[in-house]
Amino acid sequence: MPRPRTQISPHLDYADLTQRYVQCQDAGEKNRWLVIRLLSHPKTPMSIEQTAEICGLSCSGVRKIARRYNAEGAVGLVNRQRLNPGGNRLALSDEQQRLLRQRLYQVRMNTHN
């Protein structure tokens, strides 16, 4: 028995979804906007399977994006790594890096002599 069609919550209208898709610069985020656009087309919404094929995702991946959008709205589609830049910070300051390089150089020189 086929699954019922996935319903998309009307957080944004189709014109707003299209605008967000067109203006999005992040590739992963843009693909998530496309998923929601395809699933929420006002006249001919696509199935999970069709959307997955077009977007290069698995059916479960498309369902996950739809659930996140339904629960969180537009915020659910945002690239969360961009919202948490802490992972991009270096563990050592410039001075600590300089000292580490200096110490590693000294150790290297001592092992070759």
Side-chain angles (χ1 to χ4, degrees):
M1 187 162 110
R3 287 180 175 228
R5 184 172 294 280
T6 300
Q7 297 297 314
I8 300 300
S9 298
H11 296 292
L12 298 169
D13 66 22
Y14 191 73
D16 289 332
L17 291 173
T18 300
Q19 182 180 17
R20 301 247 184 143
Y21 168 72
V22 169
Q23 292 177 346
C24 187
Q25 299 295 311
D26 183 276
E29 191 174 318
K30 189 171 188 113
N31 203 33
R32 290 188 289 276
W33 283 112
L34 179 58
V35 165
I36 299 305
R37 280 187 69 241
L38 294 174
L39 293 174
S40 63
H41 191 279
K43 294 181 182 175
T44 54
M46 291 196 171
S47 69
I48 293 287
E49 294 78 13
Q50 291 169 318
T51 303
E53 186 174 333
I54 288 169
C55 296
L57 298 168
S58 66
C59 291
S60 63
V62 170
R63 285 187 193 95
K64 181 178 176 182
I65 291 168
R67 279 192 305 270
R68 228 166 80 183
Y69 179 77
N70 286 342
E72 302 174 31
V75 174
L77 302 182
V78 172
N79 181 349
R80 293 169 190 225
Q81 290 177 335
R82 201 166 20 108
L83 298 176
N84 184 18
N88 294 334
R89 274 188 248 126
L90 297 174
L92 301 176
S93 68
D94 290 341
E95 177 64 15
Q96 289 170 324
Q97 289 180 49
R98 185 186 67 75
L99 291 171
L100 177 61
R101 278 193 299 274
Q102 186 178 48
R103 180 68 182 127
L104 289 172
Y105 177 77
Q106 291 170 352
V107 168
R108 189 171 141 218
M109 296 311 290
N110 288 337
T111 59
H112 288 313
N113 292 331

